[in-house]
Amino acid sequence: MKETKERERLNAHYSNQKDWLKWGPYLSERQWGTVREDYSPNGDAWNYFPHDHARSRTYRWGEDGIAGISDRYCNICFGVTLWNGKDSILKERLFGLSGPRGNHGEDVKELYYYLENTPSHSYMKHLYKYPQNKFPYAKLVEENRIRDKDEHEYELLDTGIFENNEYFDVLTEYAKADGEDLLIKISISNRGPKEAPVYLLPTLWIRNFWSYGGMDEKPVIKKAKGKARSFVSIKHAYVGDYQLYFEKPSKLLFTENETNREKIFDDKNDHPFKKDLFHDAVIKNDYSLAKKKEEGTKFAPLYKLTLKAGETQTIKLRLTKETLRKPFDKNFEAVFSDRKKESQEFLNGITQKSTKEQREIQKQAFAGILWSKQYYNYDVEKWLKGDSMDILSPERIYGRNSHWKTLRTHDILSMPDTWEYPWFAAWDSAFHCVTLAMIDPDFAKQQLLLFTKEWYMAPNGQIPAYEWNFSDVNPPVQAWAAIHIYQIEERSTGKGDLKFLKRMFNKLALNFTWWVNRADRFNKNIFEGGFLGLDNIGVFDRSSGVPGGGILEQIDGTSWMALYCLNMLEIALEIAIKDDTFEDMAIKYFGHFVFIAEALNKLREGALGSWDEKEGFFYDTLVLPDGTSLPIKVRSISGLLSLAAVLNIRKETLDKLPRFRGSMEWFRKYRKENAMYEVMEEYSPNKDVLLSLVPRKRMTVLMNTILSESEFLGSHGIRSLSKVHEKPYTIHIEGTNYGIEYEPAESQTDLFGGNSNWRGPIWMPMNYLFIGTFKEYHNHFEEDLKFQFPSGSGNYLNLKQIGFEISKRLIGMFEKDKDGNRPIHALHKEKYTDEHFKEHILFYEYFDGNNGRGVGASHQTGWTALVANLIEEINRAKK
């Protein structure tokens, strides 16, 4: 890892020399419509706190804004507010449709891009595109309301609002002169053909604790004394005192960050200075009330700008602990220049072998995942009880998440998507950390460890899934992520963090036990699990009870647990080389893996198994109350997951751990004598040992299936459902027909909100998992195992080469073709060849299984940021 100024900042931070991460992009992009803000009796989060309330109603658990920042506990917040002179409200936060309003669930209806960010947030750049004409709020709501599930979502670009380029580019940049000295530039460019006005309100406000009885001394933002002084002071008991300096504005506006009860609840206000005062003042051009105050808990300098066609104007601000006479002297620009340069040096050090285009993809992927670090506060016990100002119903006490009273979050978390999913999802976060490990391994380790802390993990060992239902079950990929983070850091620094592995291992052992006790109710080593993150992949909702009162023995549940075993085994082996007390645990996980492999492959008495010899595929099995079993013959990514449970143990490792080797050989001999599944088919005492959930014969069948373009292999990656289901699959259970068919893009169902789809699209995390699987097989077989790529093509490649070819297909979705088009932007090709759009990349939740078009959440540089890892891995292999 190349030493740079940015790396020096990170080293100083993590060695507790200087707190470089006190301030960052931690302000949420959507606080309304979340479970945390929902105090309704029936758990109707979207309608209890809708977008229309957000400008007038105080949040309880956080704040939100555009291109915003805050301290790590969201006490003091800063964001960009705009008005084009035509809208009925200020553009203070991003607009989007709630889950019930969208034809494919919740969806942000804005255009914005994360262009740059460093791990210490020493330099950050955000672009928002703001229409000059009236924002089409009603049109977006109505058109999406009347659209069916088989139609695309109606996006902002579809409304025509950007025709003739009548919009502003609003570029927000931050540069840190020090840990608590933040320089800010907001540059607005008129991209239209004629002069246009715009109002800019860089807004500073304080999160409201005082209304809920949680603060003894109310904070204050106060105007500086003297006519020539362009700054305000902030006094806050929790984070100390700051100054916000700004260039001379048209007006100074003050109010309180408090609910307008008259507007929201038809109740009487105790004073007129409420959260939404700036909306009334600016839009009605009546500043009489806002100018009366010279202090408050919400403040904005108002700039009335008029920009000629093509013109850019920049406003400078500075949020700092320091008292400065000249906050915008030549040093201001020098700091910006230095931080930009240092940001590029840091990026270059990580992407040395990337092409120019690949480096830009990685740059924006890293920017997105760093901008997605947001403050998340949720104390379930306190939330269930409510606050004095809330009118609560007794139903809430036994409602959503009521069994999670020990969960108390007050942390910076990596969000899946900053608007659509502004809450953690346990398995998403694990994938995020694998990308974060490339740029900030310390944060990646801290993030993964968080989910094992006692204020997250339940006393019984369960890891919370996501805020809509903490008790739901996400795939157990934390151990997989831990070993990947360890290896990435070891490659980049030359030293792996064994202490981190030990901490993860000890806590994950509790979670593993929870899984075994919870999801293997008949002790057959065939697992259930329910939802398991794959939303609508089943013929019925796997989390809402099984038809006929039966039990669904899930191939993906069993495969995830086999992979979990091998991940824990790999961690134990790595630690045991230095600490042989971990050999016992390695033996334990090896044995458990053997039993799962036997059960899945129907090679042990009493086990049902899931393999269909005739069709060459693993299927879920429905076990009815009378004991009869029924295979659910869906050819989905669930049936392929068995391939992922594979581990090649190096001979050098076995030589260092003779006790483990001896136990493994005894176990092998004993199981073989009793005619059990041979998990070490390729065993030789003088070679590496391959542990595989799938026997080689079946693995070969599955590989030919996954590499078939008529089934799973698409032009841009591996699909989540086979194309054979273009002809729908149906099954009759207890008088009801259930079915599934290949849907390559948007979901055609309402399962889990209808905004995600696992019935055909390409998903980056699963592809990344399979690519790693192919490499692991290749580590053992090398040139002795090859497959046709694609199946039937006559083009034989080894598994490492196949992994690279699939990586190239995935990366290709983000690259320009000869006409300058990126597959991800297929619906709006013309706009994305425009000079002010063409370099901006959206990182979608998933991708059309036929053409690679981006679908779902549009800022999921959560796990879609894994494309940056793929680029690094294929370039590293070139050497």
Side-chain angles (χ1 to χ4, degrees), residues 692-721:
S692 173
L693 180 60
V694 184
R696 181 167 175 175
K697 181 180 177 181
R698 292 179 180 178
M699 176 262 195
T700 301
V701 174
L702 288 175
M703 283 301 303
N704 287 325
T705 299
I706 200 172
L707 299 180
S708 170
E709 292 184 318
S710 63
E711 287 219 50
F712 288 96
L713 183 62
S715 56
H716 292 93
I718 299 168
R719 305 180 182 103
S720 50
L721 188 73

Side-chain angles (χ1 to χ4, degrees), residues 269 283 296 308 343 424 456 471 510 542 622 640 807 817 861:
N269 285 326
I283 292 167
K308 297 176 183 177
S343 175
F424 73 82
Y456 281 79
S471 294
L510 300 176
R542 304 191 301 179
L622 177 62
L640 299 174
S807 295
D817 62 19
T861 36

Side-chain angles (χ1 to χ4, degrees), residues 34-259:
T34 60
V35 168
R36 287 153 285 158
E37 300 295 340
D38 176 26
Y39 286 84
S40 67
N42 58 347
D44 188 2
W46 289 113
N47 290 314
Y48 180 79
F49 204 133
H51 177 269
D52 282 346
H53 283 196
R55 61 185 175 273
S56 305
R57 187 174 175 184
T58 303
Y59 294 125
R60 176 63 183 86
W61 296 96
E63 295 288 345
D64 61 17
I66 298 172
I69 59 171
S70 77
D71 64 277
R72 64 165 57 89
Y73 296 120
C74 198
N75 293 293
I76 301 173
C77 308
F78 176 88
V80 176
T81 302
L82 301 156
W83 189 50
N84 56 17
K86 298 175 182 177
D87 287 339
S88 59
I89 59 174
L90 302 181
K91 180 60 68 174
E92 194 174 29
R93 59 186 46 79
L94 299 174
F95 173 73
L97 300 186
S98 64
R101 278 179 152 183
N103 65 322
H104 293 288
E106 62 263 41
D107 186 43
V108 68
K109 301 300 182 184
E110 304 272 13
L111 277 180
Y112 56 104
Y113 306 87
Y114 307 121
L115 300 184
E116 201 161 345
N117 206 328
T118 59
S120 72
H121 313 304
S122 58
Y123 180 69
M124 302 185 285
K125 183 161 62 172
H126 177 287
L127 177 65
Y128 174 69
K129 292 182 177 288
Y130 184 43
Q132 294 175 5
N133 293 310
K134 190 174 182 180
F135 196 91
Y137 292 105
K139 188 175 183 180
L140 286 163
V141 172
E142 181 60 23
E143 182 62 32
N144 279 282
R145 186 187 65 79
I146 63 176
R147 289 197 174 195
D148 295 327
K149 290 289 182 187
D150 59 355
E151 295 180 88
H152 294 146
E153 293 172 312
Y154 187 64
E155 304 291 3
L156 187 60
L157 277 173
D158 299 321
T159 66
I161 195 71
F162 288 97
E163 290 179 6
N164 302 317
N165 288 329
E166 292 180 338
Y167 70 92
F168 299 105
D169 268 343
V170 183
L171 188 70
T172 305
E173 297 174 275
Y174 299 92
K176 289 183 180 178
D178 208 341
E180 295 184 272
D181 188 2
L182 289 86
L183 285 54
I184 306 166
K185 289 202 295 189
I186 304 171
S187 301
I188 304 181
S189 301
N190 181 358
R191 300 303 184 199
K194 56 187 179 181
E195 185 176 86
V198 63
Y199 290 58
L200 170 65
L201 293 83
T203 306
L204 179 76
W205 70 102
I206 297 172
R207 180 182 171 192
N208 188 330
F209 285 107
W210 57 92
S211 292
Y212 303 97
M215 200 169 200
D216 295 332
E217 181 183 352
K218 183 178 176 181
V220 65
I221 304 169
K222 186 178 293 187
K223 179 183 176 182
K225 295 180 180 179
K227 292 183 178 180
R229 309 303 296 275
S230 289
F231 75 92
V232 292
S233 61
I234 306 111
K235 184 177 178 60
H236 199 296
Y238 293 170
V239 288
D241 299 343
Y242 288 84
Q243 282 71 237
L244 177 69
Y245 295 91
F246 42 88
E247 295 183 305
K248 186 177 180 180
S250 305
K251 289 179 175 62
L252 300 182
L253 307 181
F254 288 87
T255 190
E256 301 292 341
N257 183 21
E258 297 176 5
T259 298

Side-chain angles (χ1 to χ4, degrees), residues 356-372:
K356 182 180 179 181
E357 183 173 28
Q358 288 174 341
R359 183 173 289 117
E360 189 58 37
I361 295 168
Q362 289 176 299
K363 178 181 178 180
Q364 293 188 48
F366 294 146
I369 203 165
L370 289 170
W371 272 99
S372 299

